[in-house]
Amino acid sequence: MTYDALAVRSHFPSLSSGFAHFDGPGGTQTPRQVAAAIALTLTRPLSNRGSGSLPEQNADNAVTVFRTAMADLLGADPHGVVYGRSATQITYDFSRHLGRSWNVGDEIVVSRLDHDANIRPWIQAAEHAGATVKWVDFDPATGELSAEAVTAQLTEHTRLVAVTAASNLIGTRPPIAAIAAAVHSVGALLWVDGVHYTPHASVDVAALGADFFVCSPYKFLGPHCGVLAADPALLERIHPDKLATSTEMVPERFEFGTLPYELMAGVTAAVDFLAALAPIGGSRRERLVQASIALEHHEAGLLAESRPGWPLCPA
Ligand SMILES: Cc1ncc(COP(=O)(O)O)c(C=O)c1O
């Protein structure tokens, strides 16, 4: 399956600026279609969410199609898709929501392969609860973090394991499905940082076994925000502090205040842009999977060119 990089480049005005963008953590550049969707949402009639008038319907529609788009991208349930300002903000919020039920003697597991956004919030929440923090190391020779290394830190007291699906520094990918099986065997929850995994792999949250999967649309052509995917039934069991007037509904319960409808429309446009890269027809989910396979292949080719001897398709 081919990926026409030259044709795709033409949709990115910033790529004619003369800069070469090598900074993955700095985020992707933005295609015209995403900027247009943001502008359109802001310039047509818009109000708070509702069903009575066109401005209300436009706001409501932006939210609904955003959840469906992200569910298609992540293989998730749209009712479990939570919007946030960033992956960091979502992780901080949930570390507090979840940490409220932790006690002295409970154990939280974090990894040395992770970005601090998936470490510090859990350490601080554990400190507040009097819970113990345990660390998982990666193999310094290979940069790989194994399921065995995670399993060695698990006990009957483990409440949550936080681990990345792909290292932002070296690109290694821990075996999340095997880690999930081990974590669930002791009755704990698995929080997966998918910020660097999502732009480089086809995500299937259910197949990964992640209880929570967080990502950042600005790392895959969208605007600056964060998204969480989780099972709605699990979200129903979590009760954050919130305003008396705000809804108890899931996932809205976790999205404080008025939502940025324009950014949500930008995320939807980014997902549609990615789906349009697929060389085949089919449902948007099917096209996203195919597009991701094509992109992964293209990236593997670039990697092989720059680092002869590296595996063509990193596991
Ligand atoms: C692996 C990883 N996790 C989390 C984050 C934080 O994401 P955000 O900027 O959406 O808070 C980053 C940021 O670069 C990251 O690289």
Side-chain angles (χ1 to χ4, degrees):
M1 197 166 302
T2 55
Y3 165 71
D4 186 348
L6 270 187
V8 174
R9 284 180 71 89
S10 69
H11 297 293
F12 291 77
S14 71
L15 294 185
S16 54
S17 65
F19 282 95
H21 302 272
F22 292 110
D23 179 9
T28 43
Q29 302 303 297
T30 309
R32 250 180 227 100
Q33 291 86 331
V34 170
I38 293 171
L40 178 65
T41 306
L42 279 174
T43 50
R44 69 185 168 189
L46 191 65
S47 175
N48 277 348
R49 291 179 75 181
S51 56
S53 67
L54 179 65
E56 289 174 319
Q57 289 161 8
N58 282 342
D60 200 56
N61 188 50
V63 176
T64 310
V65 298
F66 155 82
R67 295 205 206 284
T68 314
M70 283 306 301
D72 280 352
L73 182 70
L74 302 178
D77 184 327
H79 296 107
V81 171
V82 179
Y83 174 89
R85 192 179 61 70
S86 64
T88 303
Q89 179 250 307
I90 292 173
T91 310
Y92 255 116
D93 279 359
F94 273 80
S95 69
R96 277 158 179 70
H97 308 331
L98 295 168
R100 283 157 61 138
S101 68
W102 299 344
N103 292 305
V104 175
D106 285 342
E107 295 172 359
I108 309 307
V109 179
V110 294
S111 105
R112 294 197 199 281
L113 193 66
D114 271 79
H115 187 288
D116 204 41
N118 199 32
I119 297 174
R120 208 60 43 192
W122 303 115
I123 290 183
Q124 290 165 350
E127 277 169 6
H128 292 315
T132 304
V133 175
K134 298 174 91 175
W135 288 85
V136 181
D137 276 313
F138 58 89
D139 180 341
T142 62
E144 301 287 350
L145 185 144
S146 67
E148 292 71 28
V150 176
T151 305
Q153 300 303 329
L154 300 176
T155 72
E156 71 206 68
H157 303 292
T158 311
R159 300 294 306 275
L160 179 129
V161 175
V163 71
T164 188
S167 159
N168 57 307
L169 285 179
I170 48 179
T172 48
R173 298 179 183 181
I176 294 298
I179 291 171
V183 170
H184 293 152
S185 74
V186 296
L189 292 169
L190 179 63
W191 181 281
V192 175
D193 178 342
V195 171
H196 269 270
Y197 185 78
T198 308
H200 301 287
S202 176
V203 181
D204 185 333
V205 171
L208 287 172
D211 295 298
F212 304 93
F213 184 95
V214 72
C215 64
S216 306
Y218 74 92
K219 299 282 209 294
F220 49 89
L221 315 183
H224 293 87
C225 58
V227 176
L228 170 77
D231 181 349
L234 173 59
L235 293 177
E236 288 286 357
R237 303 206 299 269
I238 304 168
H239 294 275
D241 285 333
K242 62 172 200 60
L243 302 185
T245 48
S246 70
T247 179
E248 258 299 317
M249 299 254 299
V250 163
E252 281 82 356
R253 187 192 289 176
F254 302 98
E255 299 169 327
F256 305 104
T258 306
L259 287 166
Y261 309 116
E262 64 279 10
L263 297 187
M264 297 174 118
V267 173
T268 303
V271 172
D272 283 334
F273 186 95
L274 289 169
L277 298 179
I280 55 147
S283 70
R284 182 169 55 188
R285 172 70 186 161
E286 286 163 350
R287 284 179 285 126
L288 284 164
V289 170
Q290 290 304 317
S292 173
I293 291 169
L295 284 169
E296 207 174 351
H297 232 264
H298 179 73
E299 286 184 350
L302 294 177
L303 189 65
E305 251 176 56
S306 62
R307 300 292 298 266
W310 273 41
L312 242 190
C313 257

